[in-house]
Amino acid sequence: MRRSGTAVAVAGALIAVGSVVAFPGTSSAAASPSPFSVPGRGATVPFTEIEAEAAATNGEQIGPDRVYTHLPSEASGRRAVRLDAPGEYVEFTLPKPANAMTVRYSVPDNAAGTGITAPVDLRINGTKLKDLQFTSRYGWFYGGYPFGNSPGDKPHHFYDETRTMFGSTLAAGTKVRIQVASTSVAPWVVVDLADFELVPDAISRPAGSLSVDDFGADRNGTSDSTAAFQAAVDAGKAQGKEVYIPAGTYTLWDHVVVDGVTLRGAGPWYSVLTGRHPTQRNRAVGVYGKYVSGGGYTGPIRSHEAGGPSRGVTLRDFAIIGDITERVDEDQVNALGGAMTDSVVDNLWIQHTKVGAWMDGPMDDFTLKNSRILDQTADGVNFHTGVTDSTVTNTFVRNSGDDGLAMWPDRIANVNNAFTSNTVVAPVLANNIVTYGGRDIKITDNVVSDTVTNGGGIHVANRYPGVNSGQGTAVAGTITAARNTLIRAGNSDYNWNFGVGAIWFDGLNEPVNATINVTDTDIIDSSYEAVQFIEGSTQTVNFSNVNIDGTGTYMIQAQAAAKASFTNVRAAHIGAGVAIHNCVGTGFAPAYGTGNSGWSPASTVCTGQWPAPNYIYDGSDPSPSPSPSTSPSSSPSPSPSPSPTACAPGSGDLARGKTVTATSSTQSYVAANTVDGDAGTYWESANNAFPQSITVDLCAVTPVQRVVLKLPPSAAWATRTQTLAVLGSTDGTNYTTLSPSAGRTFDPATGNTASISFTGASVRHVRVTVTGNTGWPAGQLSAFEVYGTGGTPSPSPSPSPSASPSPSPSPLPTGNLARGKAVSASSHADVYVAANTVDGNAGTYWESANNAFPQSITVDLGASVTVGRVVLKLPPSTAWGARTQTLAVLGSTDGTNYTTIAGSAGYTFDPATGNTVTVAVPAAARRYLRLNVTGNTGWPAAQISEFEAYAS
């Protein structure tokens, strides 16, 4: 790992020397429950966990603290103990016999940038037994996604774990001490917790089985044993025999591909697979099924990996402890991968790989159970593309670098999968459990805790590439989220800069339309809001028998339209003092059933501000949701866009650039297109689902008397009449009619524009409700303009039907001509939208669809102006490695006819020189500038954070 010498100083800033750290607004009135204290839910684990802050110590407690990049925020329970002087210790008293322990800890990065490994005493009843080696080699990532190992801003992923056996069984009451002998290597050590267990004896070789040793595997050696393992499993399949891994550590530099075979060990504390290729760093230990052509994996497939899915595989009773210290998404350095149908993974210990199990379908009937997945650089598990009838159950996940347990269909539907009876703790990024798309998915009987950033405890969403109803991959059918407990879940999203819900729903790609049942669920001590709806729209979510006790802010944060019902939902200790934050008005209309208590739909505000969390949970609620006596038997991340900054009504078109929401949208035809100043982009609601509405927030109450509505001026849009009404509101909840429902005709011959005047009124929110459209079965608008007294509509750009002379340029302008102008792109990935390139913030960026060159981005300067120079930027953070993008610059006066003004060439973006490229172009009058990108050596997509244009 390459690191600079700033990390120790950074780390020292996060935990104050000589004092207990307690950041304002980050402490709960009482410690919320342990994820292991919930009867009947979560994984049944073989260990007993003791938090360091609950043990005897002469060190200093850090936390509680939930602020991303602060050390306590990633600790279990948001507390830990710092030891920073010789003789300081944490001492655990065994509650039951144990012969092994796992310690979760953090030590700082070092000035040399390589990480450190420091010895720490393990003492039994005061006598030293051995040294434990605490290392920062697998931790300390920096910057934004996809993160880097060179120190910089946003340090995170602080913790790691080490395990050891005592050599004998220690009796209950034994004192087990972690003690600092010297600070010469590590100036401090932070201890989070210890897990104690009684490991059973090693499993003997089954009769009639084959052993990997018989095929030349190098037990406890350093030679590559991949070929020996491959020969053994191939022979096992051919002979119909199990393959046994004896107790010992085996080095593998590549995947072992399994099909129709059982591979089993002596137990996960005894049989260990490890290793990574010394020169081909994209090769490492892993057990993979065969890939399916055209399936989830789209990279190169070697001959012995082809022909999937593998079938009839059993993997059990061993450990895969890798050597992955960085995140490179293309590298297949996961513990488990490929496709496995009719297969079982049982009792595996997985640690220090990229993803515990990234399963690339199509595949069916796969079960992962009774396992531990720890310290990953990305997801714990991901069911990726066409995974059906598959389950993760009774599995413990901690310290994943991305989603703990995830499903992502990406082009082929995921159907009838289940995540059940799992415990997922402290994912460093994103969600504890999530389904992106998917039909008839079950998330049941789980315990999740301590989400860190950019995610929640449970997430249901139409997000990420490939998730859409056109391919059958969107959220559909019945989604069951039952008997789950969410503890200290949700967090502050570092892109949005506001809280994410403990359970949240997102219709980014398209509206969520499914039956989502959230039942018999406890949401305890949420970091921000308990429930959130954001982007697009969501319907229908049914909350029944839900206990919400303790929120940092609101019970519900409605930032998008949603249809939801609430029956027997109890709330207490709401940090904001108000139950609901709703700025979408009647777009969010909760159906308030029987048995609710502690909140009311009338307890609603729309402040447009995001309060700091106020943790008032005190653990006093005596009535968690009941669980049935029996449970069912079946078991980038890149993040959302920043929230809008403060604004004022302004003059002219009062709606231009303001916050706008809609009851629904179709594909990329989102509400924001109506206020971007570009009549060529448009909003379209869900089809065949009238009535539909679109609402703009003018930022403050202001006089209005006219609305101008537009459709694209192109002759491709035939004349149509939309039946619509205009409404206004001062509070976003109570609306009055400004102009009653009537047919408004949009005719291309007259600019496809409808102007609606009405008696002047002072309002903050203006809404158009559409009940019919003769041209298409949906609401459609390309511009939603609002004017006060004397306002004049802005003209819509219309392409010329034939070539015409360029208009005369304006006087030579100054500054960045593209800043804040309308911009569009051929595609975008997730939330990395084109508008990020003209916002003046080099930290936000546009990214096109991946693996789909060529791509383009076009800015409309608003009028023909002289342009002689284009400046392109990427984020300046050192997390962005140098890359060369092959691109051309084109110009146009009419938006239709483009000429090349800078030929295609490779332009290098280097963090050492600001990640900036300047392209000189012949000075001439142009209104439209376009970049055509055909290659990128750093990522398989076009990427630009700032697209600037200058006169000279």
Side-chain angles (χ1 to χ4, degrees), residues 618-926:
D618 63 8
S620 65
D621 187 359
S623 56
S625 67
S627 294
S629 57
T630 59
S631 300
S633 58
S634 63
S635 142
S637 145
S639 300
S641 307
S643 57
T645 55
C647 61
S651 59
D653 175 13
L654 307 177
R656 175 73 68 88
K658 299 300 198 302
T659 299
V660 63
T661 58
T663 48
S664 66
S665 63
T666 298
Q667 297 178 5
S668 60
Y669 308 116
V670 294
N673 291 343
T674 64
V675 294
D676 64 0
D678 182 358
T681 64
Y682 64 97
W683 162 69
E684 181 176 303
S685 74
N687 288 201
N688 301 297
F690 290 117
Q692 296 287 339
S693 66
I694 185 168
T695 306
V696 63
D697 179 354
L698 304 179
C699 300
V701 173
T702 191
V704 300
Q705 65 177 15
R706 184 160 48 96
V707 166
V708 176
L709 307 176
K710 299 177 181 179
L711 286 179
S714 168
W717 286 72
T719 300
R720 64 201 64 203
T721 298
Q722 297 193 67
T723 304
L724 53 87
V726 182
L727 300 90
S729 171
T730 57
D731 59 9
T733 300
N734 303 294
Y735 281 81
T736 58
T737 299
L738 302 178
S739 179
S741 182
R744 308 288 179 174
T745 299
F746 296 78
D747 186 347
T750 55
N752 254 351
T753 299
S755 182
I756 305 169
S757 297
F758 43 83
T759 302
S762 291
V763 298
R764 172 172 174 166
H765 306 269
V766 180
R767 173 174 293 168
V768 172
T769 298
V770 186
T771 55
N773 184 345
T774 62
W776 196 258
Q780 295 174 312
L781 293 175
S782 69
F784 180 1
E785 301 175 358
V786 179
Y787 296 90
T789 303
T792 302
S794 57
S796 300
S798 299
S800 302
S802 58
S804 57
S806 300
S808 301
S810 306
L812 195 64
T814 59
N816 175 14
L817 309 176
R819 176 77 174 271
K821 297 301 196 295
V823 64
S824 59
S826 52
S827 68
H828 69 271
D830 194 33
V831 295
Y832 307 113
V833 295
N836 291 344
T837 65
V838 294
D839 63 0
N841 179 7
T844 64
Y845 63 97
W846 164 66
E847 180 175 304
S848 73
N850 287 202
N851 300 298
F853 289 117
Q855 296 288 338
S856 66
I857 184 167
T858 305
V859 63
D860 177 359
L861 303 179
S864 284
V865 292
T866 298
V867 177
R869 178 167 51 100
V870 170
V871 176
L872 308 175
K873 298 179 180 179
L874 286 179
S877 167
T878 53
W880 285 72
R883 64 200 65 203
T884 298
Q885 298 194 66
T886 304
L887 56 88
V889 184
L890 298 87
S892 173
T893 58
D894 58 12
T896 300
N897 303 294
Y898 282 83
T899 58
T900 299
I901 56 179
S904 182
Y907 293 90
T908 298
F909 296 79
D910 188 345
T913 55
N915 257 349
T916 298
V917 163
T918 298
V919 184
V921 299
R926 305 173 179 97

Side-chain angles (χ1 to χ4, degrees), residues 393-619:
T393 186
N394 200 47
T395 289
F396 176 66
V397 181
R398 181 166 59 205
N399 199 39
S400 60
D402 211 310
D403 295 309
L405 300 176
M407 308 183 202
W408 174 24
D410 186 13
R411 296 178 291 110
I412 304 173
N414 284 351
V415 181
N416 198 35
N417 297 319
F419 291 153
T420 183
S421 299
N422 304 292
T423 299
V424 183
V425 176
V428 178
L429 176 78
N431 306 280
N432 296 71
I433 299 179
V434 59
T435 180
Y436 301 110
R439 184 169 74 247
D440 297 332
I441 303 300
K442 299 177 182 65
I443 301 171
T444 64
D445 302 287
N446 303 286
V447 177
V448 303
S449 73
D450 299 305
T451 329
V452 177
T453 192
N454 290 56
I458 294 177
H459 185 30
V460 179
N462 283 336
R463 294 175 65 203
Y464 288 100
V467 177
N468 59 76
S469 54
Q471 297 182 101
T473 55
V475 175
T478 299
I479 309 299
T480 301
R483 301 176 303 280
N484 298 294
T485 297
L486 293 72
I487 303 169
R488 297 179 298 272
N491 50 70
S492 179
D493 186 291
Y494 64 71
N495 286 319
W496 268 334
N497 294 318
F498 54 70
V500 173
I503 183 167
W504 63 302
F505 307 89
D506 190 327
L508 174 66
N509 292 8
E510 63 177 70
V512 175
N513 288 295
T515 299
I516 305 171
N517 296 323
V518 181
T519 61
D520 302 313
T521 291
D522 294 289
I523 306 175
I524 307 299
D525 196 13
S526 302
S527 294
Y528 288 82
E529 70 274 21
V531 178
Q532 180 187 29
F533 300 95
I534 191 167
E535 298 183 314
S537 64
T538 298
Q539 64 175 0
T540 301
V541 184
N542 302 306
F543 294 89
S544 177
N545 198 27
V546 174
N547 174 48
I548 298 172
D549 189 7
T551 69
T553 55
Y554 304 101
M555 172 187 166
I556 302 168
Q557 189 165 298
Q559 295 168 268
K563 181 179 179 182
S565 67
F566 297 84
T567 302
N568 198 27
V569 175
R570 303 176 302 285
H573 304 110
I574 304 302
V578 178
I580 303 171
H581 189 279
N582 174 20
C583 285
V584 298
T586 56
F588 175 69
Y592 192 75
T594 61
N596 298 310
S597 63
W599 68 286
S600 165
S603 180
T604 301
V605 295
C606 171
T607 66
Q609 304 295 317
W610 306 112
N614 175 33
Y615 298 121
I616 58 175
Y617 171 82
D618 63 8

Side-chain angles (χ1 to χ4, degrees), residues 191-257:
V191 180
D192 181 22
L193 55 83
D195 295 332
F196 296 96
E197 62 186 287
L198 191 59
V199 176
D201 291 340
I203 301 168
S204 300
R205 177 176 175 177
S209 65
L210 306 177
S211 170
V212 295
D213 286 3
D214 297 339
F215 293 81
D218 184 15
R219 192 193 320 187
N220 298 321
T222 58
S223 299
D224 178 20
S225 292
T226 307
F229 269 70
Q230 190 64 58
V233 297
D234 290 347
K237 177 182 180 181
Q239 299 176 35
K241 294 182 178 182
E242 292 186 341
V243 176
Y244 178 67
I245 309 169
T249 299
Y250 294 85
T251 298
L252 282 76
W253 291 353
D254 205 345
H255 304 162
V256 177
V257 179

